[in-house]
Amino acid sequence: QSALTQPPSASGSPGQSVTISCTGTSSDVGGYNYVSWYQQHPDKAPKLMIYEVTQRPSGVPDRFSGSKSGNTASLTVSGLQAEDEATYYCSSYASSNSYVFGTGTKVTVL
Amino acid sequence: QVQLQESGPGLVKPSETLSLTCSVSSGSMNSYYWSWIRQPPGQGLEWIGYTHYSGSAEYNPSLKSRVTMSLDTWKKEISLTLSSVTAADTALYYCARHKAGASNAFEIWGPGTVVTVSS
């Protein structure tokens, strides 16, 4: 069970958009519509931002959106704001009733 | 809003068994799955396993031989034991409640508890 692959870093200026990819296999990302995304600020617990590929929990701004194509899921943050600067992790349900996380992407707001 | 709080010894010697507890502030535990997730210093997240009040549990294949989880609905606690620890088990350990339904997402997280494995 290998970690899902994310780019180490991404950046954008305030107001711009940034998209983070999350690549797995047909045994995880590609096999189930159970991809979720988490935002983690330094020294804080992760926060659920997207679940079931595209769904936003109550209270999460609609600037955050998710999608999936094949074995790759994506998180897009539109209208970047300073408070969006954080590390983002994807996660997927995987075969054998398990879960796998991505390697994490640090988003910098320039 | 339900809150989770992890607790444990902080320091564990190599080859010993780590035991952690996650306390749930309110609400029923019966409708949810509960996971443990860890994060080594400066690294990413690793799912350890989940448990459910029905008694079902699933563990990360890489840790399965060393992990046990259980749930006590009366005490409102979820426990984690990890045997034969090594320095590689040094991490911040989180408990998390899955989102209701079949969404397979970790909706509520505790603040985490640090575990250091050292003699």
Side-chain angles (χ1 to χ4, degrees), chain A residues 1 33-36 38 40 43-48 50-52 57-58 89 91-93 96-103, chain B residues 35 37 39 43-47 50 58-62 92 94 98-99 101-112:
Chain A
Q1 189 182 41
N33 287 323
Y34 291 131
V35 175
S36 50
Y38 303 86
Q40 187 178 35
D43 299 321
K44 297 292 186 182
K47 175 186 176 183
L48 177 64
I50 295 286
Y51 66 97
E52 292 180 357
S58 174
Y89 293 92
S91 176
S92 177
Y93 178 79
S96 302
N97 291 322
S98 63
Y99 296 87
V100 60
F101 282 97
T103 50
Chain B
S35 275
I37 295 157
Q39 186 170 33
Q43 298 185 40
L45 301 167
E46 180 182 34
W47 177 74
Y50 73 67
E58 295 288 347
Y59 305 129
N60 187 320
S62 68
L92 179 59
Y94 295 103
H98 292 217
K99 190 167 176 54
S103 64
N104 291 299
F106 310 109
E107 180 182 31
I108 298 175
W109 297 63

Side-chain angles (χ1 to χ4, degrees), chain B residues 18-87:
Chain B
L18 162 68
S19 294
L20 299 178
T21 298
C22 174
S23 298
V24 182
S25 65
S26 61
S28 171
M29 299 181 69
N30 293 355
S31 303
Y32 299 95
Y33 287 82
W34 305 83
S35 275
W36 285 94
I37 295 157
R38 69 181 183 180
Q39 186 170 33
Q43 298 185 40
L45 301 167
E46 180 182 34
W47 177 74
I48 300 171
Y50 73 67
T51 188
H52 187 258
Y53 86 99
S54 63
S56 66
E58 295 288 347
Y59 305 129
N60 187 320
S62 68
L63 300 170
K64 190 171 185 176
S65 63
R66 300 193 292 129
V67 174
T68 303
M69 292 182 187
S70 63
L71 188 152
D72 186 327
T73 57
W74 290 104
K75 291 184 177 180
K76 285 189 177 297
E77 292 180 346
I78 305 103
S79 66
L80 166 71
T81 61
L82 181 65
S83 63
S84 304
V85 298
T86 70

